[in-house]
């Protein structure tokens, strides 16, 4: 089945615009669904109110060119009610933008650095931050409502390829870089760098937190998937199974599954707690043997995203297709065409998939299915129970298999 196109956002182009540098490497939705951020290429990040964007698609059809008369950044404090009226604006980050992440604070969550009582910034619950990872290794932190630059983090020596905030509202930020390291920052401690995670022997492409913020997954220019214990900042385990570089990763909403995308033409769905591959979604038929999967082919998988219903995975490959998979079916349930796709992510409510290419973003309606009561119960249990605990429950083996996503 073809996915229904919702709309697209196109970056303005000039006659002398170079194609190189216009790539949209990253698209992000705010946790509360208020904003969509996308990199237009050439240092520019566009912030668009998501509700307004959707209504424009409905009113004016699918295409929505970037408004040339962009709203100037409002110079008001975030307490002034600006957040109740989100407006479209542009941020010039000073260098090519490779990664974006929204973060919002939970005031009760204390900084992990307990010795310092005074801080430059007091992050309130009404604040929304945008982290931008740049080509020169810097990470800039912006206040979304005021457009003000809050912090400039400068420890990486190479491209910051990915960023992710801990979902618990602690404003712990993890960055993945081509300098082969992951760095952990505490924004509540004025952006203090708390830890450097070393283990990758080559470029790090992506990182993702588990929903409870206890585990970090990282992937890079190697065949291994790294899992880190974020309480001890130590490596938990390596997941082996891919035959080429692993470029993207994301946990399921209940934390029981981990999806990884690789240049070996496959998406694997793992049980991260025991390191077992539960599903394989292939993008080339027949699947290449390990020796051929390790080289260049026209089916490299570039991105993967887990839907909020826990039932669907979206993947984006070099064969100019976006695919939606059900985790319990072998073949895609929906597909859509996309040239030169680079990144994809689901909207906050899970109803739309956004995918970026050269300076533009395309949107599709996601497969809508009411989850069975069994699946909803499974997700509720798996949010609080790792696989080892589920296996020890005094319940029939078939129920254990179902809870462990093995049937």
């Amino acid at each position: 089945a073809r996915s229904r196109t919702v709309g697209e956002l196109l970056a303005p182009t000039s006659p002398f615009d170079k194609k190189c540098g216009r790539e949209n490497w990253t698209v992000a939705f705010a946790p509360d669904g208020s904003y969509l951020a996308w990199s237009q290429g050439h240092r520019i990040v566009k912030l668009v109110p998501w509700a307004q964007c959707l209504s424009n698609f409905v009113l004016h059809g699918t295409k929505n060119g970037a408004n040339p008369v962009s709203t100037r950044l409002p110079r008001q404090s975030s307490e002034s009610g600006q957040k109740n009226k989100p407006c479209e604006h542009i941020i010039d980050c000073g260098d090519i933008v490779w990664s974006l992440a929204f973060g919002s604070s939970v005031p009760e969550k204390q900084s992990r650095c307990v010795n310092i009582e005074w801080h430059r910034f007091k992050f309130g619950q009404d604040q929304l931050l945008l982290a931008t990872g740049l080509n020169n290794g810097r990470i800039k932190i912006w206040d979304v409502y005021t457009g003000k630059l809050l912090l400039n983090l400068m420890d990486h020596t190479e491209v910051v390829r990915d960023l992710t905030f801990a979902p618990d509202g602690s404003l712990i930020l993890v960055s993945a870089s081509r300098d082969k390291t992951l760095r952990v920052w505490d924004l509540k401690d004025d952006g203090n760098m708390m830890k450097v995670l070393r283990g990758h022997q080559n470029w790090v492409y992506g990182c993702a937190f588990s929903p409870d913020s206890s585990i970090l997954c990282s992937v890079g220019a190697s065949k291994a998937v790294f899992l880190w214990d974020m309480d001890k900042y130590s490596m938990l385990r390596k997941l082996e199974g891919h035959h080429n570089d692993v470029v993207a990763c994301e946990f399921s909403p209940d934390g029981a599954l981990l999806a990884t995308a690789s240049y070996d033409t496959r998406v694997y769905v793992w049980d991260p707690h025991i390191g077992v591959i539960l599903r394989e979604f292939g993008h080339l038929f027949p699947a290449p043997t390990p020796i051929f999967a390790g080289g260049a082919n026209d089916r490299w998988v570039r991105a993967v995203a887990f839907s909020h219903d826990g039932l669907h995975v979206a993947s984006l490959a070099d064969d100019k297709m976006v695919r939606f998979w059900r985790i319990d079916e072998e073949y895609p349930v929906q597909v859509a065409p996309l040239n030169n796709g680079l990144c994809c992510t689901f909207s906050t409510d899970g109803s739309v998939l956004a995918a970026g290419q050269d300076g533009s973003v395309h949107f599709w309606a996601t497969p809508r299915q009411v989850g069975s009561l069994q699946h909803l119960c499974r997700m509720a249990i798996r949010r609080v129970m790792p696989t080892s605990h589920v296996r020890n429950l005094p319940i029939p083996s078939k129920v254990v298999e179902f809870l462990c996503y093995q049937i």
Side-chain angles (χ1 to χ4, degrees):
R2 284 285 290 268
S3 294
R4 180 175 62 84
T5 300
V6 174
E8 56 187 341
L9 292 171
L10 307 176
T13 56
S14 66
F16 307 106
D17 204 0
K18 298 198 303 271
K19 192 78 167 171
C20 178
R22 270 192 57 214
E23 295 88 358
N24 174 9
W25 291 107
T26 180
V27 179
F29 287 93
D32 62 358
S34 58
Y35 273 98
L36 162 77
W38 50 295
S39 63
Q40 289 189 345
H42 304 312
R43 326 188 316 184
I44 301 301
V45 170
K46 185 80 173 279
L47 280 160
V48 184
W50 178 233
Q52 178 188 317
C53 190
L54 275 178
S55 63
N56 285 348
F57 290 152
V58 173
L59 289 173
H60 307 297
T62 61
K63 289 203 176 184
N64 185 6
N67 183 2
V69 186
S70 178
T71 311
R72 289 284 170 199
L73 293 177
R75 292 291 169 192
Q76 300 169 348
S77 72
S78 54
E79 288 84 38
S80 66
Q82 183 63 39
K83 76 184 186 77
N84 297 324
K85 301 177 193 171
C87 64
E88 179 180 308
H89 50 250
I90 285 174
I91 294 176
D92 185 342
C93 295
D95 205 343
I96 293 172
V97 181
W98 285 83
S99 49
L100 294 172
F102 281 100
S104 55
S105 171
V106 174
E108 296 75 36
K109 274 274 180 186
Q110 295 298 312
S111 165
R112 290 203 182 186
C113 186
V114 294
N115 298 324
I116 301 175
E117 294 182 5
W118 179 87
H119 296 288
R120 259 174 76 204
F121 298 109
K122 294 279 188 281
F123 293 109
Q125 198 159 17
D126 65 335
Q127 220 156 3
L128 185 61
L129 306 180
L130 180 69
T132 54
L134 307 181
N135 194 65
N136 58 11
R138 295 192 176 190
I139 302 165
K140 292 187 176 180
I141 312 295
W142 309 83
D143 185 320
V144 170
Y145 302 128
T146 65
K148 183 182 175 187
L149 178 64
L150 300 178
L151 293 165
N152 196 352
L153 313 178
M154 297 186 289
D155 281 307
H156 280 298
T157 57
E158 271 278 8
V159 171
V160 179
R161 192 64 189 81
D162 200 13
L163 293 166
T164 182
F165 276 98
D168 61 4
S170 61
L171 290 187
I172 298 295
L173 175 69
V174 175
S175 54
S177 172
R178 285 187 183 173
D179 65 13
K180 307 177 188 177
T181 67
L182 296 138
R183 293 176 190 256
V184 186
W185 314 82
D186 185 352
L187 298 197
K188 288 195 174 180
D189 185 21
D190 294 337
N192 175 45
M193 192 188 71
M194 304 159 57
K195 204 73 182 174
V196 181
L197 303 179
R198 302 182 193 275
H200 287 269
Q201 299 301 308
N202 216 319
W203 292 358
V204 190
Y205 286 133
C207 54
F209 268 103
S210 62
D212 65 358
S213 305
S214 66
I215 299 173
L216 180 82
C217 174
S218 64
V219 296
S222 73
K223 301 171 188 177
V225 177
F226 291 70
L227 293 178
W228 307 85
D229 182 332
M230 291 308 286
D231 291 323
K232 301 174 183 172
Y233 303 114
S234 60
M235 194 185 298
L236 274 175
R237 62 180 63 87
K238 279 189 198 178
L239 307 181
E240 310 271 358
H242 279 296
H243 304 301
N244 203 336
D245 292 357
V246 190
V247 292
C249 58
E250 190 162 355
F251 283 90
S252 62
D254 58 2
L257 304 173
L258 171 69
T260 56
S262 169
Y263 289 165
D264 67 7
T265 76
R266 297 171 175 92
V267 167
Y268 284 153
V269 178
W270 309 76
D271 183 327
H273 303 286
I274 56 176
V276 172
I277 298 170
L278 300 176
R279 305 279 185 279
E280 177 184 321
F281 299 136
H283 295 67
L284 181 60
F285 301 98
T289 58
I291 192 166
F292 292 109
N297 56 67
D298 60 354
R299 299 289 193 280
W300 280 5
V301 189
R302 296 281 175 181
V304 67
F306 232 114
S307 72
H308 299 257
D309 61 8
L311 286 172
H312 294 91
V313 172
S315 66
L316 196 152
D318 278 353
D319 62 356
K320 303 177 182 177
M321 296 293 282
V322 176
R323 292 172 174 83
F324 294 93
W325 313 78
R326 256 188 76 101
I327 59 168
D328 52 2
E329 291 183 20
E330 191 176 349
Y331 299 104
V333 292
Q334 286 185 18
V335 296
L338 179 69
N339 287 335
N340 304 320
L342 296 171
C343 61
C344 65
T345 188
F346 282 94
S347 61
T348 308
D349 65 358
S351 64
V352 171
L353 180 81
Q357 50 167 198
D358 290 331
S360 58
V361 195
H362 297 257
F363 303 92
W364 294 275
T366 58
R368 301 301 282 170
Q369 251 173 322
V370 177
S372 67
L373 186 57
Q374 291 101 314
H375 173 65
L376 296 174
C377 291
R378 171 169 61 183
M379 287 184 69
I381 291 169
R382 290 312 308 268
R383 277 191 175 95
V384 295
M385 272 196 181
T387 306
S388 56
H389 292 184
V390 171
R391 286 179 167 176
N392 292 329
L393 291 174
I395 53 178
S397 59
K398 281 287 182 191
V399 179
V400 171
E401 287 178 18
F402 179 77
L403 291 176
C404 294
Y405 289 90
Q406 290 172 347
I407 54 173

